[in-house]
Amino acid sequence: MNILQINASSRREGANSTRVANSIADRLKARHPDARITVRDLAADPHPLLDEAALGALFTPAEQRTPEQAARVALDDALIAEVQAHDVIVLGVPMYNFGNSVQLKTWIDAIARAGVTFRYTASGPEGLIKGKTVYVALARGGIYRDTPNDSQVPYLKSVLGFLGMTDVRFIYAEGLAMGPEAAAKGLAQAQADLEAALA
Ligand SMILES: Cc1cc2nc3c(=O)[nH]c(=O)nc-3n(C[C@H](O)[C@H](O)[C@H](O)COP(=O)(O)O)c2cc1C
């Protein structure tokens, strides 16, 4: 088993989403001692935004790209290859301002590539990143689980599913800014979610 852990907090140190993602990876490793774990920390190693230059590079045929454009596309290619090379993906996902971190969005923007990780067929879109199990460690100051204010879970189900990743298991660490008692309860809930996700 190859495990890819993506830390998408803005924080390199002290991130709750990373802490929960670490405990998921640790539990998987305990179950599968031969598992190899790759960690990509998007705070320590930021991926560039999908800006005008990046779009220009992506839409330029490979043989016509400038060296700068080729280098920019290669950065995304590396993240795609990394996902393809792993069986299990662990995402550490903070909630910032009711949404995902910009770090997570840059990773999604990098791995969503028409013709490579998804394609359109006569019967609709087809995700091409198949056969993965994805664990998502959600860290939140408040509590949003199963409420209309949880925009992250529906979005992640949609976009990961669109890319072919349909086995997505959510682990919720919530209430982390609501005082020490609520935070402890939130982290305990995450452990319970993890056990259920592994069952
Ligand atoms: C800029 C910022 C925005 C935040 N926005 C929200 C929010 O909208 N809802 C919420 O429940 N918590 C919010 N929080 C609290 C975070 O979800 C919480 O600190 C969580 O631990 C962040 O994950 P991290 O520790 O992995 O970075 C916010 C925190 C920061 C720093």
Side-chain angles (χ1 to χ4, degrees), residues 25-123:
D26 288 347
R27 279 291 274 114
L28 291 169
K29 178 84 179 159
R31 278 197 161 194
H32 306 277
D34 293 340
R36 287 192 294 119
I37 304 179
T38 306
V39 179
R40 175 171 291 278
D41 188 320
L42 295 168
D45 187 11
H47 196 78
L49 293 179
L50 182 63
D51 59 10
E52 189 173 31
L55 279 177
L58 286 162
F59 284 105
T60 300
E63 64 282 1
Q64 293 171 25
R65 285 177 190 141
T66 64
E68 292 75 20
Q69 287 178 320
R72 177 63 186 84
V73 174
L75 293 174
D76 288 2
D77 288 344
L79 296 201
I80 292 170
E82 190 172 64
V83 171
Q84 288 169 333
H86 291 79
D87 316 297
V88 174
I89 318 290
V90 178
L91 299 179
V93 175
M95 177 183 274
Y96 297 143
N97 303 316
F98 284 79
N100 291 310
S101 64
V102 70
Q103 286 78 8
L104 183 67
K105 188 60 166 57
T106 60
W107 182 77
I108 290 169
D109 287 340
I111 66 165
R113 174 91 58 85
V116 178
T117 58
F118 69 92
R119 68 180 169 202
Y120 284 98
T121 69
S123 52

Side-chain angles (χ1 to χ4, degrees), residues 9 11 15-17 94-98 139-142 144 176:
S9 174
R11 302 195 278 173
N16 288 308
S17 54
M95 177 183 274
Y96 297 143
N97 303 316
F98 284 79
R140 292 142 173 213
Y144 304 93
L176 302 180

